[in-house]
Amino acid sequence: MLTKPPFPTGKCTISDDWTYRGMNVVWMENDYLRIGILAGRGSDIFEFRYKPKDVDFLLRLPKGILNPNVDFSQMRDTPNQFEDYYYGGWQEILPNSPGFKYRGASLGQHGEVSLTPWKHAILENTPEKVSVKLWARPLRMPILIEKTLTLEAGKATLFIDEKLTNESRTHLDIAWGQHIAFGLPFLQEGAKITTNARRFYAEPLMPSQRRFQPGIEFDFPKVLNINGLEDDASLIPPDPATPYSDLAYLSGFDDKAFYALKNEVKDVGFALRWDARIFGHVWYWTERYATRDAPWWGNTYAIALEPWTMRWQPDPEQAIADGEWLRLEAGKTITMGLEASGFEGDF
């Protein structure tokens, strides 16, 4: 179990004097939040705990957190290592989602940076404010990704500032996402999504044991389910409900996008705000014990709400040709900010 002992109240703290299975770990904390960051593997946020209710919002699968440099199969040259090592949490995804060969570079599922060590440095360490910078470069594409995570005293919000730089002399096509997944016990009694998204579209290329009518754009949250009946896509059923697996997309946000996911029985929720001019879509992925084959084997309950630059496409080369991927010109930089909060009461 990867845990950190309590800290003195009334101030912020930060520490990088931690490792887990040979991977560097950074802990950030104030009176409201305890944030665990896996600097030694992808800069994952593996714990996002709202302390007043002692609730960790993020998914944690039973397989636990593995070190890709220590725990591996006899077959390492596979396109889906992201799934091999997936345990839940919050991953940075770059520079692609589907595995394919981009201009001669072989890219596996969900890119490189989520499974490689990042460098880090503590920038600020005062009772009023703590901050850490993390940065990495994919091995197969000339990109520098940098991000700074900040906690301030008296605020139940993690502030994240990101910067992406094309270090080459040619343009690059990028798929960029925040793979944020939630699980049990947070969602045991079900939950409700509140957002300023206006549109909803369910991915057609999903298995039959799904919830939503695919291939039709609806005004969120009122949609049709797989049986043609009206359904409220903002409501997540409680854990014992009928198993299903699905992928849909939320879009049509204002420039300042937000969603909140709240368990109204526990009166606690997670909220995210970001710039929809960069991340214009949210992937609404659900796996509720429905997939009985690899990689979930009928054991997985997960609800993910993931800001992305685009929808998933089975043919990434065509998506790039259609201008759906983010195009980053030679030497150019883009910046992005996110605010992740825990809350109770009204959002």
Side-chain angles (χ1 to χ4, degrees):
M1 177 71 71
L2 182 50
T3 59
K4 180 183 180 298
F7 83 118
T9 60
K11 65 178 184 178
C12 300
T13 64
I14 188 168
S15 173
D16 61 355
D17 296 329
W18 299 82
T19 61
Y20 182 71
R21 294 185 174 178
M23 299 174 288
N24 291 329
V25 171
V26 179
W27 287 100
M28 308 173 68
E29 196 162 357
N30 65 14
D31 280 341
Y32 291 97
L33 298 178
R34 182 165 72 232
I35 307 296
I37 305 156
L38 196 61
R41 186 191 135 175
S43 78
D44 290 12
I45 298 175
F46 63 85
E47 180 173 323
F48 195 110
R49 186 173 300 275
Y50 182 65
K51 292 168 61 176
K53 294 276 190 175
D54 193 26
V55 172
D56 182 8
F57 300 114
L58 298 180
L59 172 68
R60 181 73 66 86
L61 297 180
K63 70 192 301 181
I65 303 173
L66 303 177
N67 186 337
N69 296 314
V70 176
D71 304 289
F72 49 86
S73 168
Q74 78 275 24
M75 293 182 62
R76 299 210 71 178
D77 187 18
T78 61
N80 60 340
Q81 289 192 52
F82 180 87
E83 290 177 346
D84 291 342
Y85 295 100
Y86 184 63
Y87 65 89
W90 176 346
Q91 287 79 33
E92 190 86 37
I93 304 298
L94 188 79
N96 61 292
S97 174
F100 76 119
K101 183 168 284 190
Y102 175 70
R103 293 163 65 180
S106 297
L107 304 175
Q109 180 194 27
H110 281 350
E112 295 184 80
V113 299
S114 67
L115 290 177
T116 59
W118 288 44
K119 297 179 180 179
H120 77 278
I122 293 176
L123 302 182
E124 193 161 356
N125 184 5
T126 70
E128 295 77 27
K129 183 178 179 181
V130 293
S131 182
V132 61
K133 178 179 178 179
L134 303 106
W135 65 96
R137 290 176 170 89
L139 294 174
R140 296 182 178 179
M141 286 184 69
I143 303 167
L144 171 63
I145 180 167
E146 305 167 89
K147 63 182 180 184
T148 301
L149 281 63
T150 301
L151 279 182
E152 299 177 5
K155 295 182 180 179
T157 297
L158 175 68
F159 300 91
I160 305 174
D161 296 301
E162 303 214 21
K163 183 165 70 172
L164 199 63
T165 302
N166 178 351
E167 297 187 314
S168 76
R169 297 187 179 185
T170 180
H171 82 275
L172 297 172
D173 301 288
I174 303 296
W176 187 14
Q178 304 292 322
H179 196 284
I180 312 171
F182 309 93
L184 304 174
F186 168 45
L187 300 178
Q188 188 74 45
E189 297 85 2
K192 180 178 177 61
I193 301 168
T194 303
T195 179
N196 60 353
R198 298 180 178 87
R199 294 189 292 276
F200 175 97
Y201 180 85
E203 172 59 51
L205 297 178
M206 287 294 289
S208 58
Q209 195 170 352
R210 60 184 305 165
R211 176 180 172 186
F212 302 117
Q213 189 78 41
I216 304 172
E217 188 166 272
F218 297 100
D219 293 330
F220 184 82
K222 298 299 182 182
V223 305
L224 294 180
N225 65 24
I226 196 66
N227 298 316
L229 302 176
E230 186 176 275
D231 200 347
D232 186 343
S234 71
L235 298 180
I236 295 172
D239 176 33
T242 302
Y244 67 91
S245 177
D246 220 329
L247 175 64
Y249 311 101
L250 305 180
S251 62
F253 297 94
D254 299 330
D255 286 349
K256 187 66 173 180
F258 74 86
Y259 71 71
L261 180 64
K262 184 181 180 185
N263 180 324
E264 295 183 324
V265 175
K266 290 187 171 81
D267 187 30
V268 66
F270 173 94
L272 189 73
R273 298 173 179 85
W274 71 94
D275 187 348
R277 292 170 296 182
I278 304 295
F279 294 146
H281 303 271
V282 165
W283 296 12
Y284 178 3
W285 169 58
T286 305
E287 175 56 53
R288 294 170 53 105
Y289 310 122
T291 302
R292 300 305 175 102
D293 299 322
W296 311 126
W297 304 109
N299 291 326
T300 299
Y301 177 104
I303 306 293
L305 294 170
E306 313 168 26
W308 279 86
T309 53
M310 79 305 175
R311 293 180 181 176
W312 182 83
Q313 292 285 350
D315 185 347
E317 292 181 342
Q318 185 61 52
I320 291 169
D322 292 341
E324 296 181 15
W325 282 37
L326 180 66
R327 181 180 172 110
L328 192 57
E329 299 297 337
K332 297 300 182 181
T333 293
I334 57 174
T335 59
M336 173 73 193
L338 304 103
E339 300 176 6
S341 306
F343 70 95
E344 51 193 298
D346 295 333
F347 169 69

